[in-house]
Amino acid sequence: FQAMAQEALSEEVSFSALYTPFEKEDKADKIKEANKTFAEKHPDYVQHIFTDPHGIHLLPEKAEAHPGQQYLLTLGFRDKEIGKTVEKFVTRNLPVFPGVPSCS
């Protein structure tokens, strides 16, 4: 997902991204805070705002990162339907196959 987001960011103008530093605090509160911060910083991309609840992300390659720092990834879209579609694909439960090691 993160590689897809990085590639899309370099070419796509229909959405914007915000990385929010994340510590081991209450994740639900941090997601609400990230969504609010995103809306304030990127008002052109608020038709659909989505913070990935599954993962803790690293910054893109060219960004100045602090070792060990983890980030929530928030995406905002100009088109509500595109945003809903991306959120649906990111949050869906993938099937589990017995005997096959998982990626987590």
Side-chain angles (χ1 to χ4, degrees):
F1 174 73
Q2 189 158 346
M4 178 189 76
Q6 283 181 248
E7 183 178 327
L9 283 173
S10 65
E11 299 174 9
E12 183 62 55
V13 293
S14 65
F15 76 94
S16 186
L18 176 70
Y19 288 85
T20 306
F22 178 76
E23 300 293 330
K24 297 197 185 273
E25 301 169 14
D26 182 20
K27 197 174 206 177
D29 286 344
K30 287 302 275 185
I31 288 173
K32 287 179 187 175
E33 183 180 319
N35 288 347
K36 180 181 176 191
T37 300
F38 182 93
E40 291 169 355
K41 291 186 176 206
H42 303 281
D44 293 339
Y45 298 91
V46 295
Q47 290 301 312
H48 187 80
I49 298 174
F50 165 67
T51 298
D52 181 15
H54 290 118
I56 303 301
H57 299 270
L58 302 175
L59 288 176
E61 287 179 23
K62 295 178 182 177
E64 183 179 326
H66 300 284
Q69 179 66 59
Q70 297 176 330
Y71 298 83
L72 290 173
L73 173 61
T74 303
L75 301 174
F77 298 85
R78 288 183 181 201
D79 183 303
K80 188 174 188 172
E81 292 307 312
I82 293 173
K84 284 183 173 185
T85 301
V86 170
E87 182 174 358
K88 181 176 131 185
F89 282 112
V90 170
T91 60
R92 72 180 176 179
N93 290 326
L94 298 175
V96 177
F97 299 101
V100 178
S102 69
C103 295
S104 47

